[in-house]
Amino acid sequence: IRILWLAINVMLNKSVFTAPEFDAGKTYVYKYEAFIMSGLPEEDLARAGIKISTKVLISNEAQNTYVLKLVEPELYEYSGYWPKDPAEPATKLKAALAPQFAIPIKFEYTNGAIGKIFAPEEISTLVLNIYRGLLNILELNIKKTHKVYDLQEVGQGVCKTLYSINEDERLENILLTKTRDMNHCHERIMKDIGLAYTEKCETCQRESRNLKGTTTYSYVLKPVPSGLMILKAESNELIQFSPFSEGNGDAEMKTKQSLVFLEVKKELIPTIKAEYHQRGSLMYEFSDELLETPLQLIKISNAKAQIMESLNHLVSHDAEIVHEDAPLKFLELIQILRKVRREDLEMNWNQIKKMPTQRRWFLEAIPAVGTPDALELIKEIFLAEEISVIEAVQAFATAVHMVTADTETIKIFESLITNHKVVENPVLREIIFLGYGTMVSKECVESDCPAELIKPIQDRLAEAVAKSEIEKIILYIKVLGNAGHPASLKSITKLMPIHGTAAASLPMRVHAEAIMALRNIAKKEHRQVQELALQLYMDKALHPELRMLSCIVIFETRPSMGLVTTIANAVKTEENLQVASFTYSHMKSLSRSPSTIHSSVSEACSVAMKILGSKLDRLSFRFSKAIHADYYNNTLMLGAASTAFYINDAATILPRTVVAKISAFLAGAAADVLEIGVKTEGLQEVLLKNPALSDDADRITKMKRVIKALSNWRSQPNTEPLASVYIKFFGQEIAFANVDKVMIDWVAENAREVPIKEYGKKVLKTLLHSDIDFHYAKPMLAAEVRRILPTAAGLPMELSLYTAAVAAAAIKIKPTTSPHLPEDFELSKLLETDIELESEIRPSVAVNTYAVMGVNTAILQAALVTRAKVYSVMPAKIAARLNIKDGDFKIEALPVSVPENITSVNVETFAVVRNIEEPNVERITPILPTEALKSISKRTVSSWIASSDDIDVSKSSEILPLESEANPIVNYKVRPFAKRYCIKNHGVGLRACFKVETESVDFMKNTTLYNLVLQRNISFSVKPIEGEEVERLEMEVKVGAKAAEKLIKRINLDEEENVEDAGPVLMKLNKILSSRRNSSSSSSSSSSSSSASSRSSSSSRSSRTSSVSSSSSSRSIRKNINAAVLPSNSSSSSSSSSSSSSSSSSSRRRSSSSSSSSSSSRSVSDSARTSSASSLASLFSDSSSSSSSSALDSKVKAGFDLELSTRSNEAYLFLQNKGLDEEDIVLVVILRAVKNNKKMVGYQIAAYLDKPTARVHLIVAALAPEDKWRLCADGVLLSQHKVTAKVAWGEECKRYSTLVTGETGLVGSSPAARLRLSWERLPSALRRYGKMVDEYIDSEILDDLVHTKSKNSTRQIYITVAAESDEIVDFIVKTPMNTTYKKSLHLPVSMPINELKHYIPFDEVFEKVHFLITKAAAAECSYLDDKLTTFNNRTYTHEMPSSCYQVLAQDCTEELKFMVLLRKDSKEQHHINVKIADIDIDLLQEKHNVTVHVNGMEIPFTSLPYRHPTASIEIRRHEDGVVVYAPSHGLQEVYCDNDSWKIKVVDWMKGKTCGLCGKADGEIRQEYRTPNGRLAKNSVSFAHSWILPSESCRDNSECRLKLDSVQMEKQVTIHGDNTKCYSVEPVPRCLPGCIPTKTTSVNVGFSCQSIGESVDIRETTQAHLSCSCTAKCS
């Protein structure tokens, strides 16, 4: 066997493959061709490319060193329709490159591997890359023992390459194929520009890659004695790109190479005299293409002159209206500035810095240049004070995001952060420091960068922490957050409030900033950040806000399933409801995320939801929430996500922190586009608390004396009044502002120094005395996204997206005053001056967007370009006239010349090729052949809408080219589409048209990419209608007693009209009104009832009369055209004209029965509530037989109908259709269009006011004499409880009408309000939409409400709301389709019901409004029948100690704004003591009333209300007790009567109180918090901890209790030893010498100490509540 194996090896060694070799002393001649072409894959479409053809000479110069020379090189440009069009020779470019091609290069070649490359400096990097593309063919790594294998090979990177070797036995050749997969490259050579802020979305790229490519090399090798000789080599490279994932239809870049052996010569390549240098290896090197845009080639000959030429062109062509090509010209300016030297930049700046317009364009362009030289120039001119601070802010803010980050630019920013001019300006300091962090982040995106980059900031942070400079600490944290460098994690961790760190003493906002700074670090070190954030989240001793911020960080690190379920289990036992609510809502919203982006997190959160259930869903909106919603389309690879965080820490209405973020997903990349965060901690307190709160020493001493008695009392940290906001753009914070006292004082001080009044007067005088001609243009490079990568031929391929915009505005104002105003006029003169202003404004904007795929170099470009151009010009000419004295105001829109299209959008795709030797010559080929475009342009389809009232849009149709018009070469079908939609408005004489034109061919794929690149023209135009041209549009306003003078169309209010159709209705209404007048004089309830019955029967009779008299002869009656009719509150009268009473009654009885059965079938737990709801539902039932309706009607009559007798005169005038005269007109508005034929079209609005009857009337009439359309609105205030209005419209205000009545009253003892809407006739569209809304609400929103389906009156809607209390209402909504009602609906805020019924405290309007605002969200604590209900609405039994004060509620911050104490004396009477401002208020329950003492002096009950002389404090009588109001001090009210008391604190005090009433923070799981901040185990221990003990039984107080640690009576044995156990919680006990007379049991914790060991147990012991002392007590 061994001999056989050796024999096989000998046979195999005969066919061992070796590497290609080039023998010494010989020159090998090859023919080399390379063709690079970009475009769409289909034939007969435009493509662009470059072709290189040359002979290649290769000879051996030394061992492993070879010489390569190009002979007879040819360059070709291709821009045409593939494959029929030929390439054109680029003779001038070839001539320019010939000197470089004539120089041979040298390279190392060993065993088929290319080593170092040597070339003189005269050869540019671009030409050397072409050599690299050729040498890439020679790279062969042949293994001697394998025929199929793969390896990592160097070329366009280090990519996976598969080899396959076969033998052609017939020709004795070796066939080798190698395939390079460019999707799997470890070191892919690629340069990204403008993508620093994006993250690669790995999940998006799993199914389909946006950019994919492969290269295949095929070799024919011939064995020779020295090895192998390459006879033929071909390469085919295909790179495909599409921003979508559609499976086909990608744009592609093809590269073909061919190397064919010609001959072997004995002559060696002649040597040249040149110095060769090592110029790298086979790896591609980037050259000047980074400074070039693929949109145009610019040859720099005279930099200074070219820059000035571009600037002057932009200034001259964009003075008034921006030119549509201005964005491209702006890009040209940027490109020139990128290519010039720094000295040229300085020379140009020195030339134009005193030319205002050119200076502005230059400063707009220089930050977008993005080079270190440009940044250095901005720095130098700022330090030289050649630009203003505003210009510097704009320049640096733009440069931060446009400048390419490298070591040089980072050093420039580092030098700026130490400059005193930057440090002294707060805005610049913020921009430069944040920009420094951004530059570090951009530098570290693609590769690891040294930690030294952030060391300057770390050093400053350490220094600021040592000096406790909080503002600097926050700034440096934000800088490190922007940088996102992993090395900064240690510095930030030192600021975390972790146990044992010194940072725990720093303000909480520092901790919050440190946590949020972890998010950018997590993008690189998510594991470490995740662990730190989880540690913070699980630390229950931390502030809830910090834990919620940690939760945000955790979920941004894409946690695993295990981590999410761990958090879910922690939430189940979480005591803080804010944290629980926030985490639950965050996971719930993520679980609903359908996006591929968050698929793993979504799955984990779905599991977490099953663990948690839905219990936390019931928490209100005052608890913290996180909301996330996203959308992602896998086919389009397009999506967006929005996230909002609502963070609260005390259930206040105004949250502590709100963060909103928008993210976008596009083409396999993800980016956080915009994030805005607002912190409002302290803002609500600043706005609503008393700013004049005195730090009176006596007041503070009194409160501290009380607090001292509490066991280990610990104050809460005082929240510094502060609001802050920050803005992040693409994950980088670009600006933030802290609104604190220092900033407010600074703004106030500067505001006082600025003479605002004088400045405003100066501006006004300038406006009225001189013409204004103002022009302004604003350019912007909105987007520059580029990806550059090499092709197999050595030329770079670029994928890029550019968006540039230029906006301009020209404003002209010409003033005229009569009489003429002098130069120094007084402002009072304006009241007597007629002022006319004629203004013309021409805003315009041009936006150009380019998408490019192709070759981009400094000398030649060949690419497929899609260009989208948006151009809009919207001029306007307006004249205004103002006469204050006469009350005249007139504004006119005058004719102005407009372009053919106000807005146009043009999209076209073309192939283009250009070279530097002919920069002004571009070979452009449209994507579709010219023949197709011509056939399309010959035939179009257009349609338009004749008028706005009659819309008729014709359907689109395909138009095929005629056979006679088709070019024989073009054998495909053209699919054009052209359509125009127009709307005419004859009133203003204008026609607006929207036009769309597109084209395609039948063989093109129907994909999104193809649809985007096709030619499209979209335009919007506004033109006058022929024959109906409008001279001007006018609006005139006249106010005052002479307003009637402006009337154009006189309306006779008492004209005789033929009212044939309305006669029966008016007869019916007269009967109704006469019955009302007879019934209005009745005084007894019985007569009122009978009159109501009479009205009902009268209504029925009038209804029947109406139906009969409709066929009778018409009569003429006298009426006012503006009169409104008010029916009685009998609901049948307003709708009786539609049906008879008997049929209506029967239907209502049926609906009532149906309602009853429906209601009984519903499952309701509380029968009493069902009964109450049913009675409420029948409140306005039409069924007269309902007893419940009668009972409730009798309850509401006093409130809802009382005004009919108290204001009978006003009602009579209204009901009798009293007309208003022209003397009553107070306002006239004329809206009209004056046409060239002097015909007026428009509307006239006249408002009448009759103060004696509290009546308002409004008439809107068409101005055209033949147009009788009008709108009449009539309203009257019948009483303080009722207002009604009628609105009618149509011809002579007769076609449609509706009646609206609003009234207030009582339902039982509850205040109520009712809105009633009835109508005679409504437009069908309005009725249809009303039914749709009704059905939608019924099925989607009100499923949980009690509602009864019934057939109500078809012409009425009732909405009734009755308030059971300040926070509970009942309501009814009755529509023609159904009746919906709800009993005991809880409101999120409190309504001021009692205050509106009786009085609102305080006298000043501001204080009244302040009181109502604070009351709406106040937290209430109350006591009744030994049951105490805390601020958090938790109730427990409270057995009070005798004669000892307990703290009910107090401000637990260091400010001690208020304190409320409670004591029960020996007579079981409650005494309440309120300490606020500089007074003590005592409320004492005595017999049948409450006595009030202020600072020991009694205030008689009859002397109330009492007002504090300086502070906003008021004491009033209220119901059976007394109430103290002090909302500005945090105490909304304290009420006390004989049986109960209640305390309310304002919303901004929530979370800052303590005492028996709790913290008012919504945390019911942490309710029993003792003075030292610990949680008591039960309510008894909690209540005892707030007792104010006595120091001696001989003091003036009657309290004889102390809080002491007691010994447990029961013996405890530990390891056989008896130990003593003492309570760890203080227990109230009698003072020495006193004996208890009343006790209660309390369960407390005991600590039992033994040698080396302690045991904690809980046992019940006795607490003393009342004591009796002997004379010898101490």
Side-chain angles (χ1 to χ4, degrees), residues 335-435:
Q335 187 172 346
I336 296 174
L337 292 174
R338 284 178 178 172
K339 299 176 70 173
V340 300
R341 300 172 302 169
R342 180 178 166 185
E343 293 78 8
D344 295 327
L345 292 177
E346 293 178 355
M347 291 174 58
N348 278 101
W349 168 251
N350 292 328
Q351 182 181 357
I352 58 97
K353 65 181 178 181
K354 294 183 180 180
M355 305 166 64
T357 310
Q358 285 83 351
R359 168 195 176 103
R360 188 174 66 248
W361 279 94
F362 187 86
L363 289 177
E364 294 283 1
I366 200 69
V369 172
T371 61
D373 289 342
L375 182 61
E376 185 68 30
L377 176 66
I378 298 174
K379 171 190 169 183
E380 288 182 358
I381 62 178
F382 165 68
L383 296 180
E385 298 183 353
E386 296 179 358
I387 58 175
S388 65
V389 173
I390 296 177
E391 290 174 327
V393 167
Q394 179 180 341
F396 281 118
T398 306
V400 165
H401 303 282
M402 301 300 296
V403 171
T404 302
D406 55 24
T407 305
E408 186 177 355
T409 55
I410 292 176
K411 286 183 178 180
I412 295 175
F413 270 91
E414 185 178 354
S415 65
L416 282 169
I417 63 178
T418 59
N419 188 276
H420 69 93
K421 292 184 178 181
V422 172
V423 175
E424 291 171 0
N425 188 290
V427 178
L428 267 177
R429 180 178 67 246
E430 189 175 297
I431 290 175
I432 297 299
F433 271 91
L434 292 177

Side-chain angles (χ1 to χ4, degrees), residues 699-975:
R699 176 180 68 88
I700 301 295
T701 302
K702 289 180 181 179
M703 292 191 183
K704 288 188 174 181
R705 190 180 300 124
V706 175
I707 292 171
K708 185 178 180 181
L710 296 176
S711 176
N712 298 322
W713 182 83
R714 186 177 64 181
S715 67
Q716 298 177 15
N718 182 29
T719 302
E720 182 181 353
L722 172 73
S724 60
V725 60
Y726 72 84
I727 300 176
K728 282 189 173 184
F729 187 65
F730 285 104
Q732 295 293 305
E733 191 160 337
I734 60 174
F736 71 95
N738 293 326
V739 183
D740 52 14
K741 189 176 184 303
V742 175
M743 179 180 180
I744 294 172
D745 292 343
W746 180 83
V747 172
E749 182 179 353
N750 284 270
R752 285 193 297 267
E753 295 177 357
V754 176
I756 298 177
K757 184 177 179 180
E758 295 298 325
Y759 181 75
K761 187 176 179 180
K762 183 179 179 181
V763 171
L764 186 60
K765 289 181 178 181
T766 303
L767 177 64
L768 296 179
H769 277 111
S770 58
D771 295 351
I772 296 176
D773 193 351
F774 175 74
H775 306 280
Y776 183 78
K778 172 70 175 179
M780 177 185 296
L781 178 58
E784 183 180 15
V785 180
R786 305 171 66 185
R787 172 164 286 178
I788 305 171
L789 60 156
T791 61
L795 290 175
M797 166 193 172
E798 178 168 331
L799 291 166
S800 56
L801 178 70
Y802 291 84
T803 297
V806 178
I811 302 174
K812 296 180 180 180
I813 301 176
K814 182 179 181 181
T816 304
T817 58
S818 179
H820 182 72
L821 291 172
E823 287 294 330
D824 191 14
F825 65 88
E826 296 295 331
L827 294 179
S828 58
K829 287 288 185 181
L830 296 178
L831 301 177
E832 303 174 358
T833 305
D834 192 355
I835 303 172
E836 293 185 16
L837 295 175
E838 185 174 327
S839 62
E840 183 177 358
I841 179 171
R842 289 181 174 271
S844 56
V845 62
V847 181
N848 289 4
T849 297
Y850 299 87
V852 183
M853 179 178 183
V855 174
N856 175 33
T857 68
I859 61 172
L860 57 91
Q861 294 174 348
L864 186 70
V865 180
T866 297
R867 178 179 61 195
K869 300 175 69 174
V870 180
Y871 186 62
S872 179
V873 181
M874 302 185 69
K877 191 173 184 180
I878 298 172
R881 179 180 178 183
L882 176 63
N883 191 321
I884 301 176
K885 182 178 180 180
D886 297 336
D888 281 345
F889 175 73
K890 183 178 181 180
I891 184 169
E892 296 177 308
L894 303 176
V896 63
S897 61
V898 296
E900 181 178 357
N901 295 317
I902 290 179
T903 302
S904 62
V905 179
N906 298 314
V907 181
E908 57 180 335
T909 301
F910 52 86
V912 60
V913 62
R914 58 178 78 90
N915 67 74
I916 195 65
E917 298 303 320
E918 300 173 286
N920 297 323
V921 178
E922 292 182 337
R923 294 179 175 85
I924 297 178
T925 307
I927 186 69
L928 291 178
T930 308
E931 293 80 2
L933 295 179
K934 288 181 179 179
S935 65
I936 291 170
S937 62
K938 288 181 179 180
R939 303 186 62 185
T940 61
V941 179
S942 63
S943 63
W944 58 88
I945 301 173
S947 67
S948 59
D949 296 328
D950 186 14
I951 299 176
D952 182 18
V953 181
S954 62
K955 297 181 179 179
S956 63
S957 59
E958 288 188 347
I959 302 299
L960 305 181
L962 299 176
E963 293 182 1
S964 59
E965 297 175 346
N967 191 301
I969 301 176
V970 183
N971 55 4
Y972 42 75
K973 176 183 176 183
V974 178
R975 295 200 303 262

Side-chain angles (χ1 to χ4, degrees), residues 135 148 174 255 561 582 587 613 718 928 1193 1223 1226 1382 1411:
L135 293 175
V148 178
I174 299 172
T255 303
M561 177 77 74
F582 183 84
M587 290 192 293
N718 182 29
L928 291 178
D1193 279 342
E1223 289 77 8
V1226 294
K1382 177 70 175 178
F1411 173 82

Side-chain angles (χ1 to χ4, degrees), residues 876-1119:
K877 191 173 184 180
I878 298 172
R881 179 180 178 183
L882 176 63
N883 191 321
I884 301 176
K885 182 178 180 180
D886 297 336
D888 281 345
F889 175 73
K890 183 178 181 180
I891 184 169
E892 296 177 308
L894 303 176
V896 63
S897 61
V898 296
E900 181 178 357
N901 295 317
I902 290 179
T903 302
S904 62
V905 179
N906 298 314
V907 181
E908 57 180 335
T909 301
F910 52 86
V912 60
V913 62
R914 58 178 78 90
N915 67 74
I916 195 65
E917 298 303 320
E918 300 173 286
N920 297 323
V921 178
E922 292 182 337
R923 294 179 175 85
I924 297 178
T925 307
I927 186 69
L928 291 178
T930 308
E931 293 80 2
L933 295 179
K934 288 181 179 179
S935 65
I936 291 170
S937 62
K938 288 181 179 180
R939 303 186 62 185
T940 61
V941 179
S942 63
S943 63
W944 58 88
I945 301 173
S947 67
S948 59
D949 296 328
D950 186 14
I951 299 176
D952 182 18
V953 181
S954 62
K955 297 181 179 179
S956 63
S957 59
E958 288 188 347
I959 302 299
L960 305 181
L962 299 176
E963 293 182 1
S964 59
E965 297 175 346
N967 191 301
I969 301 176
V970 183
N971 55 4
Y972 42 75
K973 176 183 176 183
V974 178
R975 295 200 303 262
F977 176 86
K979 201 160 189 177
R980 181 168 57 207
Y981 306 90
C982 295
I983 296 178
K984 293 181 180 179
N985 189 305
H986 295 276
V988 296
L990 295 176
R991 181 182 69 173
C993 293
F994 179 78
K995 185 179 179 182
V996 180
E997 293 179 289
T998 64
E999 67 272 340
S1000 63
V1001 289
D1002 56 355
F1003 62 80
M1004 294 185 70
K1005 299 181 177 68
N1006 186 21
T1007 64
T1008 306
L1009 179 64
Y1010 278 54
N1011 292 332
L1012 286 178
V1013 302
L1014 293 178
Q1015 182 170 341
R1016 298 175 185 272
N1017 294 313
I1018 303 172
S1019 61
F1020 177 73
S1021 62
V1022 177
K1023 297 181 179 179
I1025 302 174
E1026 294 183 6
E1028 299 185 19
E1029 290 81 0
V1030 173
E1031 183 179 315
R1032 65 185 182 275
L1033 300 176
E1034 292 183 351
M1035 183 184 77
E1036 292 186 75
V1037 179
K1038 179 76 172 180
V1039 181
K1042 298 181 180 181
E1045 296 176 357
K1046 280 291 180 182
L1047 289 177
I1048 295 177
K1049 186 174 184 180
R1050 301 287 175 175
I1051 301 176
N1052 188 358
L1053 300 179
D1054 296 314
E1055 64 183 339
E1056 293 281 347
E1057 292 190 76
N1058 191 329
V1059 286
E1060 177 180 354
D1061 296 335
V1065 178
L1066 294 174
M1067 292 172 60
K1068 172 197 69 175
L1069 294 176
N1070 283 330
K1071 292 183 180 182
I1072 296 173
L1073 298 176
S1074 62
S1075 65
R1076 281 189 177 171
R1077 291 193 294 274
N1078 293 334
S1079 63
S1080 63
S1081 59
S1082 301
S1083 58
S1084 64
S1085 61
S1086 61
S1087 65
S1088 175
S1089 176
S1090 64
S1091 66
S1093 175
S1094 174
R1095 286 194 299 270
S1096 178
S1097 63
S1098 176
S1099 176
S1100 300
R1101 287 194 303 272
S1102 66
S1103 177
R1104 290 191 292 271
T1105 304
S1106 175
S1107 62
V1108 173
S1109 61
S1110 61
S1111 60
S1112 63
S1113 60
S1114 63
R1115 67 174 73 180
S1116 295
I1117 68 172
R1118 192 174 185 83
K1119 67 183 270 304

Side-chain angles (χ1 to χ4, degrees), residues 1160-1349:
S1160 61
S1161 64
R1162 181 179 288 274
S1163 175
V1164 181
S1165 60
D1166 190 353
S1167 61
R1169 175 173 174 173
T1170 306
S1171 175
S1172 176
S1174 300
S1175 65
L1176 180 65
S1178 61
L1179 176 58
F1180 298 107
S1181 174
D1182 291 331
S1183 177
S1184 60
S1185 61
S1186 173
S1187 60
S1188 59
S1189 174
S1190 300
L1192 285 169
D1193 279 342
S1194 64
K1195 292 181 180 180
V1196 302
K1197 283 184 186 299
F1200 284 141
D1201 295 337
L1202 183 60
E1203 68 277 3
L1204 289 178
S1205 60
T1206 59
R1207 290 292 298 274
S1208 59
N1209 291 334
E1210 290 84 347
Y1212 180 78
L1213 292 174
F1214 184 58
L1215 299 174
Q1216 286 300 312
N1217 305 324
K1218 175 184 178 295
L1220 297 178
D1221 299 327
E1222 289 186 357
E1223 289 77 8
D1224 298 318
I1225 297 178
V1226 294
L1227 173 67
V1228 172
V1229 179
I1230 305 295
L1231 302 171
R1232 62 178 174 178
V1234 181
K1235 298 191 175 182
N1236 289 343
N1237 56 11
K1238 304 306 178 183
K1239 182 180 178 181
M1240 285 192 301
V1241 178
Y1243 295 94
Q1244 172 182 282
I1245 304 171
Y1248 300 74
L1249 175 63
D1250 188 14
K1251 291 184 178 180
T1253 59
R1255 182 180 176 190
V1256 177
H1257 193 63
L1258 186 71
I1259 296 179
V1260 181
L1263 291 177
E1266 68 279 1
D1267 193 344
K1268 295 185 178 182
W1269 183 94
R1270 296 175 190 171
L1271 182 146
C1272 304
D1274 205 350
V1276 65
L1277 179 65
L1278 296 177
S1279 72
Q1280 294 181 352
H1281 303 283
K1282 190 168 187 176
V1283 63
T1284 188
K1286 181 178 180 180
V1287 181
W1289 65 98
E1291 186 175 349
E1292 299 290 351
C1293 290
K1294 297 174 185 176
R1295 187 170 181 83
Y1296 305 110
S1297 67
T1298 181
L1299 185 69
V1300 182
T1301 303
E1303 48 194 338
T1304 60
L1306 298 174
V1307 174
S1309 60
S1310 301
R1314 177 172 66 184
L1315 180 66
R1316 181 175 58 192
L1317 176 66
S1318 60
W1319 58 89
E1320 294 287 341
R1321 185 179 179 186
L1322 291 178
S1324 58
L1326 189 61
R1327 294 198 302 269
R1328 182 171 64 255
Y1329 292 141
K1331 289 181 180 180
M1332 293 171 58
V1333 172
D1334 183 84
E1335 293 175 359
Y1336 173 77
I1337 294 177
D1338 182 48
S1339 59
E1340 301 291 338
I1341 298 178
L1342 301 178
D1343 285 344
D1344 60 330
L1345 300 181
V1346 181
H1347 60 272
T1348 60
K1349 287 284 183 180

